[in-house]
Amino acid sequence: MKQLILLVSMLAISFGSAMGIKKDNSARKAEKVSKEMQVVLGFNDEMYQKVYALNLERFTEESKLKETYGEDIEVLKAARKTMIKSYYKKLTEAVGAEEIKKWRPHQKAKMKNKA
């Protein structure tokens, strides 16, 4: 009986850790992108916090979409596209259209260097 309780406890801890890793991963991505945006666009800590919240929401939602539609690539792409449009609308409202115009070329250059 003690072994069963020990096994169940270990499984619960492992499952909890795995779920925490996904949350930490979204938070890590959000922090990385937000800091990069802060450097490129030069905004203050208050703006950083707003952008971080939006990025955290974005990466958390993206993770949920991957879990939900992981097998169905076409549906995942469509859902992700809708989510990204909503994200950029909120981001533009938060930082302004001029800042987004500065951010996009940086983003495109970064993607080009990645390929």
Side-chain angles (χ1 to χ4, degrees), residues 92-105:
T92 302
E93 289 172 1
V95 301
E98 289 300 315
E99 297 299 316
I100 296 298
K101 286 179 185 177
K102 293 177 191 174
W103 175 246
R104 291 269 171 124

Side-chain angles (χ1 to χ4, degrees), residues 7 26 42 49 66 86 97:
L7 179 65
S26 294
Q49 292 300 324
K66 286 179 182 177
S86 174

Side-chain angles (χ1 to χ4, degrees), residues 63-109:
S63 180
K64 288 179 186 177
L65 290 175
K66 286 179 182 177
E67 286 178 19
T68 305
Y69 304 114
E71 297 292 318
D72 194 346
I73 301 298
E74 293 305 315
V75 175
L76 176 61
K77 283 182 181 180
R80 190 174 181 277
K81 186 175 183 178
T82 302
M83 184 267 304
I84 292 292
K85 280 185 179 182
S86 174
Y87 163 74
Y88 271 106
K89 182 177 180 183
K90 291 175 186 176
L91 187 63
T92 302
E93 289 172 1
V95 301
E98 289 300 315
E99 297 299 316
I100 296 298
K101 286 179 185 177
K102 293 177 191 174
W103 175 246
R104 291 269 171 124
H106 171 78
Q107 216 176 8
K108 286 181 182 180

